[in-house]
Amino acid sequence: MAESDRARWNARYGSAKQGPPRSDGHPGGEPRRFLVAAEGELAAPAPGARALDLACGPGLEACWLAERGFTVDAVDIADVGLARAAAAAAEAGLGDRVHLVAADLDDGLPAELLGRRYAVVWAGHFRGNAVEQAVREAAVPGALLVTTRLSVVGREPALAGGGGGPDPAFLAAPGELVELAERCGLTVLRHQEGDGEAALLARCP
Ligand SMILES: C[S@@+](CC[C@H](N)C(=O)[O-])C[C@H]1O[C@@H](n2cnc3c(N)ncnc32)[C@H](O)[C@@H]1O
């Protein structure tokens, strides 16, 4: 599964298109709106504070977090996406603050990141178990989880699992992110579900 994901995403990132289609309206070139809208909750990071970007793709959000003062570890399986992230970080003068890691998150957090602690865990349009692992094992007290994923809620029935839509395995069930927050003891600051997308902003205990 992960190897086919890698090939599929590499093909997408290597195509003439600017990147994966953005269901939140951004065709690429701008970070996801839900993360940007959480800026008020991101306290000015203490020196050395780290953020984790799971399934970072072309690195727009990793760069956005680095611009706000975080040192960012950004993980993805697709090396073509990571190459684009490296170029974006270098172009923005953020190469020293965005650390890119090629890894299959289906195997959990990469070994080289174990022991690191994060003030922010961000996962945009990614539904892997590594999100919950990061919250449980790698978040500092009071850390923020900001995450979005495709959802069955409000999705056109024809696209809910067939008809050329995403693999049903990528679609969150109704309430899935709130359940994740409850399991992990998080305080939900914002949750939205609709138009085929779910999003959560929550604070760790
Ligand atoms: C929809 S894109 C999201 C990219 C970016 N986070 C965003 O919000 O636009 C999904 C990303 O997940 C990555 N991915 C899929 N399966 C993965 C896995 N098992 N391990 C690591 N990355 C994976 C893909 O390479 C792709 O970059």
Short mmCIF file of all heavy atoms in Angstrom, two decimals, residues 10-44:
data_model
loop_
_atom_site.label_atom_id
_atom_site.label_comp_id
_atom_site.label_asym_id
_atom_site.label_seq_id
_atom_site.Cartn_x
_atom_site.Cartn_y
_atom_site.Cartn_z
N ASN A 10 4.40 10.53 -6.12
CA ASN A 10 5.54 11.02 -6.90
C ASN A 10 5.09 11.40 -8.30
O ASN A 10 5.53 12.42 -8.84
CB ASN A 10 6.63 9.94 -6.97
CG ASN A 10 7.61 10.08 -5.82
OD1 ASN A 10 7.71 11.14 -5.20
ND2 ASN A 10 8.34 9.02 -5.54
N ALA A 11 4.20 10.59 -8.89
CA ALA A 11 3.73 10.90 -10.24
C ALA A 11 2.96 12.22 -10.22
O ALA A 11 3.13 13.06 -11.12
CB ALA A 11 2.84 9.77 -10.75
N ARG A 12 2.17 12.42 -9.19
CA ARG A 12 1.41 13.67 -9.11
C ARG A 12 2.32 14.87 -8.92
O ARG A 12 2.17 15.89 -9.57
CB ARG A 12 0.40 13.61 -7.96
CG ARG A 12 -0.98 13.23 -8.48
CD ARG A 12 -1.86 12.88 -7.35
NE ARG A 12 -2.74 13.97 -7.03
CZ ARG A 12 -3.84 13.82 -6.29
NH1 ARG A 12 -4.14 12.63 -5.81
NH2 ARG A 12 -4.61 14.83 -6.04
N TYR A 13 3.28 14.73 -8.02
CA TYR A 13 4.17 15.86 -7.76
C TYR A 13 5.10 16.12 -8.94
O TYR A 13 5.59 17.24 -9.11
CB TYR A 13 5.00 15.63 -6.49
CG TYR A 13 4.17 15.66 -5.23
CD1 TYR A 13 4.30 14.68 -4.25
CD2 TYR A 13 3.24 16.69 -5.01
CE1 TYR A 13 3.55 14.72 -3.09
CE2 TYR A 13 2.49 16.73 -3.85
CZ TYR A 13 2.64 15.74 -2.90
OH TYR A 13 1.89 15.78 -1.75
N GLY A 14 5.34 15.08 -9.72
CA GLY A 14 6.24 15.25 -10.86
C GLY A 14 5.52 15.72 -12.11
O GLY A 14 6.15 16.04 -13.11
N SER A 15 4.20 15.79 -12.06
CA SER A 15 3.45 16.20 -13.24
C SER A 15 3.53 17.71 -13.39
O SER A 15 4.02 18.42 -12.53
CB SER A 15 1.99 15.77 -13.13
OG SER A 15 1.31 16.63 -12.24
N ALA A 16 3.00 18.20 -14.50
CA ALA A 16 3.07 19.64 -14.79
C ALA A 16 2.21 20.44 -13.82
O ALA A 16 2.43 21.63 -13.64
CB ALA A 16 2.61 19.90 -16.21
N LYS A 17 1.25 19.76 -13.16
CA LYS A 17 0.39 20.48 -12.24
C LYS A 17 1.22 21.01 -11.07
O LYS A 17 2.26 20.46 -10.73
CB LYS A 17 -0.69 19.55 -11.68
CG LYS A 17 -1.83 19.33 -12.65
CD LYS A 17 -3.02 18.71 -11.98
CE LYS A 17 -2.70 17.39 -11.31
NZ LYS A 17 -3.87 16.74 -10.76
N GLN A 18 0.74 22.04 -10.41
CA GLN A 18 1.49 22.64 -9.32
C GLN A 18 1.52 21.77 -8.07
O GLN A 18 2.24 22.04 -7.15
CB GLN A 18 0.91 24.01 -8.98
CG GLN A 18 1.40 25.09 -9.90
CD GLN A 18 2.92 25.22 -9.84
OE1 GLN A 18 3.48 25.57 -8.81
NE2 GLN A 18 3.58 24.92 -10.94
N GLY A 19 0.70 20.72 -8.02
CA GLY A 19 0.69 19.90 -6.82
C GLY A 19 -0.65 19.23 -6.69
O GLY A 19 -1.45 19.26 -7.61
N PRO A 20 -0.91 18.61 -5.52
CA PRO A 20 -2.19 17.95 -5.35
C PRO A 20 -3.32 18.96 -5.36
O PRO A 20 -3.13 20.08 -4.89
CB PRO A 20 -2.07 17.27 -3.99
CG PRO A 20 -0.98 17.98 -3.30
CD PRO A 20 -0.05 18.52 -4.34
N PRO A 21 -4.48 18.59 -5.91
CA PRO A 21 -5.60 19.52 -5.89
C PRO A 21 -5.93 19.90 -4.46
O PRO A 21 -5.83 19.08 -3.56
CB PRO A 21 -6.75 18.70 -6.50
CG PRO A 21 -6.13 17.53 -7.13
CD PRO A 21 -4.81 17.30 -6.46
N ARG A 22 -6.28 21.17 -4.23
CA ARG A 22 -6.54 21.64 -2.88
C ARG A 22 -8.03 21.76 -2.70
O ARG A 22 -8.67 22.59 -3.29
CB ARG A 22 -5.86 22.99 -2.65
CG ARG A 22 -4.40 23.02 -3.08
CD ARG A 22 -3.56 22.07 -2.28
NE ARG A 22 -3.49 22.42 -0.89
CZ ARG A 22 -2.37 22.84 -0.28
NH1 ARG A 22 -1.25 22.93 -0.94
NH2 ARG A 22 -2.38 23.13 0.98
N SER A 23 -8.60 20.90 -1.84
CA SER A 23 -10.05 20.92 -1.66
C SER A 23 -10.49 22.18 -0.93
O SER A 23 -11.66 22.51 -0.91
CB SER A 23 -10.50 19.69 -0.88
OG SER A 23 -10.00 19.75 0.42
N ASP A 24 -9.56 22.89 -0.29
CA ASP A 24 -9.94 24.11 0.41
C ASP A 24 -9.83 25.33 -0.49
O ASP A 24 -9.89 26.45 -0.03
CB ASP A 24 -9.10 24.30 1.67
CG ASP A 24 -7.61 24.37 1.36
OD1 ASP A 24 -7.26 24.36 0.17
OD2 ASP A 24 -6.82 24.41 2.31
N GLY A 25 -9.67 25.11 -1.76
CA GLY A 25 -9.74 26.21 -2.69
C GLY A 25 -8.41 26.74 -3.15
O GLY A 25 -8.35 27.50 -4.10
N HIS A 26 -7.32 26.34 -2.51
CA HIS A 26 -6.01 26.81 -2.94
C HIS A 26 -5.45 25.86 -3.99
O HIS A 26 -5.31 24.67 -3.75
CB HIS A 26 -5.05 26.89 -1.76
CG HIS A 26 -5.37 28.00 -0.83
ND1 HIS A 26 -5.22 29.31 -1.20
CD2 HIS A 26 -5.84 28.02 0.42
CE1 HIS A 26 -5.58 30.09 -0.20
NE2 HIS A 26 -5.97 29.33 0.80
N PRO A 27 -5.12 26.35 -5.14
CA PRO A 27 -4.61 25.46 -6.19
C PRO A 27 -3.14 25.11 -5.99
O PRO A 27 -2.51 24.55 -6.85
CB PRO A 27 -4.80 26.31 -7.46
CG PRO A 27 -4.69 27.72 -6.98
CD PRO A 27 -5.24 27.74 -5.58
N GLY A 28 -2.59 25.42 -4.88
CA GLY A 28 -1.16 25.22 -4.67
C GLY A 28 -0.54 26.60 -4.51
O GLY A 28 -1.07 27.61 -4.95
N GLY A 29 0.60 26.64 -3.85
CA GLY A 29 1.26 27.92 -3.67
C GLY A 29 0.91 28.59 -2.36
O GLY A 29 1.60 29.52 -1.95
N GLU A 30 -0.15 28.15 -1.71
CA GLU A 30 -0.51 28.73 -0.41
C GLU A 30 -0.79 27.61 0.57
O GLU A 30 -1.33 26.57 0.19
CB GLU A 30 -1.76 29.60 -0.53
CG GLU A 30 -1.55 30.87 -1.31
CD GLU A 30 -2.82 31.70 -1.35
OE1 GLU A 30 -3.37 31.98 -0.26
OE2 GLU A 30 -3.25 32.04 -2.45
N PRO A 31 -0.45 27.83 1.85
CA PRO A 31 -0.72 26.78 2.83
C PRO A 31 -2.21 26.62 3.10
O PRO A 31 -3.00 27.50 2.80
CB PRO A 31 0.01 27.27 4.08
CG PRO A 31 0.14 28.74 3.90
CD PRO A 31 0.22 29.00 2.43
N ARG A 32 -2.56 25.51 3.68
CA ARG A 32 -3.98 25.22 3.93
C ARG A 32 -4.58 26.26 4.87
O ARG A 32 -4.00 26.62 5.89
CB ARG A 32 -4.13 23.83 4.51
CG ARG A 32 -3.72 22.74 3.53
CD ARG A 32 -4.64 21.56 3.56
NE ARG A 32 -4.18 20.57 2.60
CZ ARG A 32 -4.79 20.30 1.43
NH1 ARG A 32 -5.89 20.94 1.10
NH2 ARG A 32 -4.32 19.38 0.63
N ARG A 33 -5.78 26.66 4.52
CA ARG A 33 -6.43 27.75 5.26
C ARG A 33 -6.68 27.41 6.72
O ARG A 33 -6.61 28.27 7.59
CB ARG A 33 -7.78 28.08 4.62
CG ARG A 33 -7.66 28.81 3.32
CD ARG A 33 -9.04 29.09 2.77
NE ARG A 33 -8.95 29.49 1.38
CZ ARG A 33 -9.98 29.44 0.55
NH1 ARG A 33 -11.15 28.99 0.95
NH2 ARG A 33 -9.83 29.83 -0.69
N PHE A 34 -6.99 26.13 6.99
CA PHE A 34 -7.32 25.78 8.38
C PHE A 34 -6.11 25.98 9.28
O PHE A 34 -6.25 26.42 10.43
CB PHE A 34 -7.83 24.34 8.45
CG PHE A 34 -8.42 23.99 9.79
CD1 PHE A 34 -9.72 24.40 10.12
CD2 PHE A 34 -7.70 23.28 10.73
CE1 PHE A 34 -10.27 24.09 11.36
CE2 PHE A 34 -8.25 22.96 11.97
CZ PHE A 34 -9.53 23.36 12.28
N LEU A 35 -4.93 25.69 8.77
CA LEU A 35 -3.71 25.92 9.56
C LEU A 35 -3.47 27.42 9.71
O LEU A 35 -3.19 27.91 10.81
CB LEU A 35 -2.51 25.25 8.88
CG LEU A 35 -1.16 25.51 9.56
CD1 LEU A 35 -1.14 24.95 10.99
CD2 LEU A 35 -0.02 24.93 8.75
N VAL A 36 -3.60 28.14 8.63
CA VAL A 36 -3.37 29.59 8.69
C VAL A 36 -4.32 30.25 9.69
O VAL A 36 -3.94 31.13 10.46
CB VAL A 36 -3.51 30.21 7.28
CG1 VAL A 36 -3.45 31.73 7.34
CG2 VAL A 36 -2.43 29.66 6.35
N ALA A 37 -5.57 29.75 9.71
CA ALA A 37 -6.57 30.33 10.63
C ALA A 37 -6.24 30.02 12.08
O ALA A 37 -6.78 30.66 12.99
CB ALA A 37 -7.96 29.79 10.28
N ALA A 38 -5.36 29.04 12.32
CA ALA A 38 -4.98 28.69 13.70
C ALA A 38 -3.82 29.54 14.21
O ALA A 38 -3.35 29.34 15.33
CB ALA A 38 -4.60 27.21 13.77
N GLU A 39 -3.39 30.50 13.41
CA GLU A 39 -2.19 31.26 13.79
C GLU A 39 -2.34 31.91 15.16
O GLU A 39 -1.38 31.97 15.94
CB GLU A 39 -1.89 32.33 12.72
CG GLU A 39 -0.61 33.10 13.03
CD GLU A 39 -0.12 33.90 11.85
OE1 GLU A 39 -0.88 34.07 10.87
OE2 GLU A 39 1.04 34.34 11.90
N GLY A 40 -3.55 32.38 15.48
CA GLY A 40 -3.76 33.03 16.77
C GLY A 40 -3.50 32.11 17.95
O GLY A 40 -3.15 32.57 19.04
N GLU A 41 -3.70 30.82 17.75
CA GLU A 41 -3.50 29.86 18.86
C GLU A 41 -2.04 29.41 18.97
O GLU A 41 -1.66 28.78 19.95
CB GLU A 41 -4.37 28.62 18.67
CG GLU A 41 -5.79 28.77 19.18
CD GLU A 41 -6.70 29.49 18.18
OE1 GLU A 41 -6.29 29.68 17.03
OE2 GLU A 41 -7.82 29.86 18.59
N LEU A 42 -1.26 29.68 17.95
CA LEU A 42 0.15 29.28 18.00
C LEU A 42 0.89 30.34 18.81
O LEU A 42 1.13 31.44 18.32
CB LEU A 42 0.76 29.22 16.60
CG LEU A 42 0.17 28.25 15.58
CD1 LEU A 42 0.86 28.42 14.25
CD2 LEU A 42 0.33 26.82 16.07
N ALA A 43 1.23 30.01 20.04
CA ALA A 43 1.98 30.97 20.84
C ALA A 43 3.31 31.22 20.15
O ALA A 43 3.83 30.36 19.44
CB ALA A 43 2.20 30.40 22.23
N ALA A 44 3.87 32.43 20.35
CA ALA A 44 5.20 32.69 19.81
C ALA A 44 6.12 31.60 20.32
O ALA A 44 6.23 31.38 21.53
CB ALA A 44 5.68 34.05 20.28
#
